Amino acid sequence: GSWEWDVATNRLTWSDILCALYGLAPDAGPSTHDAYLALVHPDDRAVARATAERALADGQPFEFEHRAVRPDGTVRTLHARGEVVVDRAGRPLRLVGSSEDVTDAVAARAAQEAAHAAAERAAIRVRQLQSLSDTLSHAFTVDEVARVILNEGMALAGADAGFLARVGDDGE
């Protein structure tokens, strides 16, 4: 959806599509920048405010992601981009731009990152198990096998091999 903010009058105009992204009825978009900020997730308001202030100060195009809290409480992630329209003297007249719902893309990125982290943990575990297997293949006695299992195998399981050995000494 598209939007326009007249800086001098602080009047904000939203397209019907942008209203829908925020869960609002057509023509029910916020009329001021502060009213817009009230629809932004509290944790993202400072970024939204700072982005607008920076654009007004430097006149440069901008883009950022923020979460919108809809009237029904659902939260969507939006990617906003815009630019500053200036007068002949270079003073900002208005900000214009668009926003799109990227909630699904953000969720997919998070799932992909989680899967990548799980794969990395699995690869580490495979290397640890391979090392244990290699060490066991060189153990020739039952005592050596037991020592390897206690020292390396328990470490893989996150157990304290010394504690387990002490428990075994007194039969408990």
Side-chain angles (χ1 to χ4, degrees):
S2 61
W3 53 268
E4 180 177 325
W5 177 27
D6 183 315
V7 178
T9 64
N10 192 29
R11 179 166 165 68
L12 195 57
T13 306
W14 280 15
S15 70
D16 291 349
I17 294 171
L18 187 57
C19 288
L21 291 179
Y22 279 81
L24 303 172
D27 296 324
S31 59
T32 67
H33 191 255
D34 285 338
Y36 151 70
L37 290 173
L39 299 172
V40 173
H41 190 282
D43 293 343
D44 297 343
R45 285 182 189 148
V47 169
R49 180 178 286 115
T51 299
E53 289 171 357
R54 186 173 46 254
L56 289 171
D58 67 18
Q60 296 298 307
F62 59 91
E63 58 184 285
F64 68 105
E65 283 186 6
H66 65 286
R67 290 166 291 171
V69 181
R70 291 178 168 181
D72 67 3
T74 59
V75 177
R76 304 298 292 178
T77 302
L78 303 179
H79 181 86
R81 69 187 78 211
E83 58 185 48
V84 181
V85 177
V86 297
D87 64 14
R88 290 180 190 219
R91 292 181 300 255
L93 294 173
R94 61 187 180 279
L95 273 64
V96 296
S98 64
S99 295
E100 67 178 308
D101 189 333
V102 294
T103 304
D104 294 339
V106 168
R109 264 195 324 260
Q112 183 180 25
E113 289 169 4
H116 181 72
E120 286 292 321
R121 288 190 303 274
I124 290 168
R125 180 57 62 128
V126 165
R127 287 191 298 274
Q128 290 171 330
L129 290 171
Q130 183 61 46
S131 174
L132 175 61
S133 175
D134 291 345
T135 303
L136 281 173
S137 71
H138 295 96
F140 297 108
T141 67
V142 172
D143 287 342
E144 289 175 335
V145 170
R147 190 183 74 254
V148 168
I149 289 173
L150 279 174
N151 291 334
E152 295 189 35
M154 293 296 122
L156 284 173
D160 182 353
F163 171 77
L164 292 175
R166 284 190 302 274
V167 169
D169 288 343
D170 63 8
E172 292 185 25

